[in-house]
Amino acid sequence: METRKTALYEYHKSLGAKFVPFAGYEMPVQYSSGIVDEHKLTRSSAGMFDVSHMGQLTIEGNKDLEIEIEKIIPIDLKKIKLNQSKYSFLINEKGGIYDDLIVTKIEKGFNIILNAACKDNDFKIISSSLKNKFKITLHKNLSLIALQGPKSSQILEKIISGVSSLKFMNGNKFSYNGKDVYVTRSGYTGEDGFEISISNDFVEELAKKFISQGVKPIGLGARDTLRLEAGLCLYGHDITETTSPIEANLKWAISKRRREEGGFVGYNKIKSDLNGTLSRLRVGVKPDGKIIAREGVKIFSKDDKEIGSITSGTYGPSVNSPIAMGYVKFDFSKPGTKVFLEVRGKKHEAKISELPFYKKSYVR
Amino acid sequence: MSEKKYSKQHEWITIEGDIATIGITKHAAEMLGDVVFVELPEKGKNVDKEGQAGVVESTKAASDVYTPISGEITDTNQSIVDDPGAVNKDPEGAAWFFKIKIKNKSELDQLMSKADYDKFAKENPN
């Protein structure tokens, strides 16, 4: 398959980006100052992320559409307000996760943000489930820019007037230089921030505007360390087609009505997971020393029984220590539980940790 | 001290008597990005030319460190274990990795000069 590029590819190059292949795209992994600097800058000021590789899907429809969506996404669309966003999942028949996504209620229907690696498959699944009754568009002409960090609001307000009054997980249509943009107050770093959906034709102009305001470009490397510190899942690693949202400790993302009534694919698994037969749980894992436990590292109990494995691990620049997430047998999931991580043949002490590792600062 | 020599695995080496000091090159440190973890071989361990003799990790990934020559590990640089970021600051100076008692001096002949290494690194960026 040919490698895809976002509309900002040449601009990233001019900013000194180092590229890696990611989900079929050539994406910036870091710029010249490095991942740790980019990470810290996002936490202290504001960083710009090109997330245009992610899928932007629009489905048009009304009440009938809500009913159809609720069959494949365990979201509560009876409660969602206009321009409100909700985190949810595209669920499979076994209660596993095809993708995690953000659904936003708009006037003509719904916008859904999908993971880059999943978007084409998601489109097929959603289209076939909706049986061509609704207009569904996976946008090719739209870019998506995330502006993240404590200074995002004051910077973006100067460029797109009105955005600073948005609450977290809410969006609206705004005007940028006379062009329509859709802005949500959201992101995946644990910081306050925004995601701006804008035409490919104007995205470079907007990106340049951010840079001129002192915003630094941030690559996928820091995006990963930021989201892991914030305890957020990376699809394909921490959550997959074989993990249920309940095992993934994402019960909060399914409303009480949906948990009780079901009515979506894979509900049997969700229901049994909820009713006490949970075999494993996603947890935070914090090594006692400096050892970094990456995906695939086995987790052992005090009496040397294998109890799980790591799904994401790195060094957290803001917590200044190694951090990880993984799945352990339910009995070992309590924060503080002493465990051992087998890295390069040696066992290293670690503890089950509360998530997030770094406290989120969202504007509610 | 001898002239610095370089290996294809991106290590540098200097010789003083029968002791060699080894570290990773500036090019390797730049390629790795921010170093956040270093694991060094145990003192007294015998290592073979091009064998694994340590690990260096960035936020992104773990990479093995190899020894360009055979011999016994006589010393290791604990300061880079305590402060892995030092590897990015001074990779070819203060952030050396380990010292080896040289077993076979002829192994040194196969290593590259700085000019040859720079050319090699340019042609083999990873």
Side-chain angles (χ1 to χ4, degrees):
Chain A
M1 198 171 72
E2 200 191 332
T3 313
R4 295 191 258 190
K5 294 180 171 85
T6 71
L8 284 179
Y9 180 80
E10 292 299 329
Y11 186 52
H12 291 311
K13 233 178 180 175
S14 77
L15 292 170
K18 203 165 124 184
F19 292 90
V20 290
F22 180 84
Y25 283 81
E26 277 294 303
M27 295 300 291
V29 64
Q30 66 168 85
Y31 298 81
S32 48
S33 70
I35 293 172
V36 170
D37 263 11
E38 290 174 24
H39 175 113
K40 288 182 175 168
L41 204 124
T42 305
R43 293 256 184 264
S44 65
S45 177
M48 174 182 85
F49 303 70
D50 179 13
V51 288
S52 305
H53 56 314
M54 298 186 82
Q56 298 187 65
L57 189 81
T58 302
I59 314 176
E60 296 175 37
N62 46 33
K63 286 283 168 211
D64 294 344
L65 174 61
E66 289 182 9
I67 291 163
E68 292 302 320
I69 289 179
E70 283 203 351
K71 288 179 187 168
I72 48 172
I73 300 176
I75 189 172
D76 194 343
L77 293 178
K78 281 187 180 152
K79 281 196 176 152
I80 200 165
K81 296 188 186 90
L82 182 63
N83 294 315
Q84 191 183 14
S85 302
K86 290 274 185 196
Y87 176 72
S88 193
F89 322 95
L90 186 62
I91 292 274
N92 67 29
E93 298 70 25
K94 289 178 177 160
I97 303 171
Y98 277 132
D99 198 2
D100 62 335
L101 39 80
I102 303 274
V103 178
T104 304
K105 170 87 186 110
I106 56 168
E107 276 163 19
K108 61 182 175 185
F110 297 95
N111 280 341
I112 307 182
I113 305 291
L114 307 163
N115 276 301
C118 306
K119 63 181 180 183
D120 293 323
N121 191 43
D122 292 350
F123 180 79
K124 280 184 209 155
I125 293 163
I126 296 170
S127 301
S128 95
S129 177
L130 299 184
K131 299 179 193 79
N132 303 321
K133 283 191 283 185
F134 306 92
K135 189 179 173 196
I136 169 167
T137 315
L138 184 57
H139 298 282
K140 301 258 186 276
N141 56 340
L142 289 179
S143 292
L144 192 65
I145 299 294
L147 186 66
Q148 300 281 296
K151 290 190 181 157
S152 304
S153 183
Q154 67 183 77
I155 291 168
L156 191 60
E157 180 64 34
K158 278 189 272 181
I159 300 167
I160 303 174
S161 175
V163 294
S164 63
S165 61
L166 288 172
K167 294 273 184 285
F168 189 68
M169 293 300 268
N170 277 273
N172 216 331
K173 282 184 289 191
F174 290 91
S175 175
Y176 163 67
N177 269 357
K179 290 134 202 159
D180 287 340
V181 293
Y182 194 88
V183 181
T184 58
R185 196 159 199 162
S186 60
Y188 219 59
T189 59
E191 295 298 323
D192 182 25
F194 300 85
E195 290 185 345
I196 304 112
S197 174
I198 182 169
S199 159
N200 292 342
D201 298 339
F202 310 118
V203 65
E204 187 170 325
E205 182 190 319
L206 179 65
K208 282 179 175 161
K209 190 92 192 170
F210 287 147
I211 300 299
S212 76
Q213 296 287 320
V215 173
K216 291 281 186 285
I218 313 292
L220 289 179
R223 186 168 166 83
D224 192 51
T225 55
L226 288 159
R227 69 92 196 163
L228 188 46
E229 277 189 345
L232 301 168
C233 292
L234 178 61
Y235 188 80
H237 303 265
D238 308 309
I239 48 177
T240 68
E241 288 186 20
T242 60
T243 56
S244 87
I246 311 304
E247 290 170 339
N249 218 341
L250 298 168
K251 188 171 101 176
W252 58 267
I254 307 179
S255 78
K256 195 161 171 268
R257 173 176 76 84
R258 302 304 321 269
R259 291 201 300 258
E260 285 173 0
E261 292 176 8
F264 52 89
V265 293
Y267 180 59
N268 283 345
K269 165 73 174 162
I270 307 289
K271 199 175 164 185
S272 74
D273 278 357
L274 284 168
N275 291 336
T277 50
L278 202 56
S279 59
R280 56 176 184 162
L281 195 66
R282 181 180 63 96
V283 291
V285 181
K286 200 162 181 178
D288 290 356
K290 282 177 177 273
I291 195 82
I292 296 173
R294 299 185 190 272
E295 184 173 11
V297 162
K298 289 175 178 170
I299 308 173
F300 291 85
S301 64
K302 269 194 292 194
D303 54 358
D304 212 27
K305 297 223 168 59
E306 192 178 328
I307 53 166
S309 66
I310 296 296
T311 50
S312 282
T314 186
Y315 161 82
S318 300
V319 295
N320 191 26
S321 76
I323 50 172
M325 294 198 294
Y327 284 81
V328 291
K329 287 185 178 165
F330 188 79
D331 293 347
F332 297 91
S333 63
K334 201 174 159 222
T337 305
K338 189 168 157 179
V339 295
F340 290 84
L341 307 171
E342 191 179 76
V343 180
R344 294 182 285 274
K346 270 189 225 157
K347 298 221 169 74
H348 301 264
E349 276 189 45
K351 281 183 192 70
I352 303 299
S353 165
E354 302 267 8
L355 290 173
F357 297 104
Y358 186 88
K359 200 177 170 295
K360 298 183 182 74
S361 20
Y362 299 143
V363 176
R364 299 282 178 190
Chain B
M1 206 185 292
S2 74
E3 181 202 352
K4 201 176 261 177
K5 294 221 170 181
Y6 297 84
S7 76
K8 286 185 175 175
Q9 279 86 24
H10 305 286
E11 282 89 32
W12 57 263
I13 178 168
T14 56
I15 315 290
E16 232 180 330
D18 60 352
I19 300 293
T21 302
I22 291 160
I24 67 167
T25 65
K26 188 164 176 280
H27 169 79
E30 279 167 10
M31 285 297 121
L32 283 166
D34 303 298
V35 173
V36 293
F37 177 81
V38 175
E39 194 172 274
L40 296 170
E42 274 166 41
K43 271 186 228 177
K45 193 184 168 191
N46 280 292
V47 290
D48 292 328
K49 177 175 144 60
E50 291 176 3
Q52 195 245 344
V55 175
V56 54
E57 298 203 35
S58 70
T59 47
K60 287 173 288 183
S63 309
D64 285 332
V65 176
Y66 302 95
T67 172
I69 57 161
S70 311
E72 183 194 327
I73 304 288
T74 58
D75 200 4
T76 57
N77 186 359
Q78 281 305 308
S79 74
I80 59 169
V81 174
D82 299 334
D83 176 22
V87 176
N88 295 106
K89 284 178 210 121
D90 192 10
E92 298 200 20
W96 57 276
F97 275 55
F98 49 86
K99 291 180 195 278
I100 282 188
K101 188 161 186 234
I102 302 165
K103 195 172 157 190
N104 181 356
K105 282 216 166 175
S106 69
E107 285 177 356
L108 296 166
D109 300 341
Q110 297 151 34
L111 299 170
M112 288 179 277
S113 67
K114 175 152 177 56
D116 286 346
Y117 173 73
D118 286 347
K119 191 164 166 266
F120 170 81
K122 219 171 178 179
E123 287 161 4
N124 302 274
N126 295 310

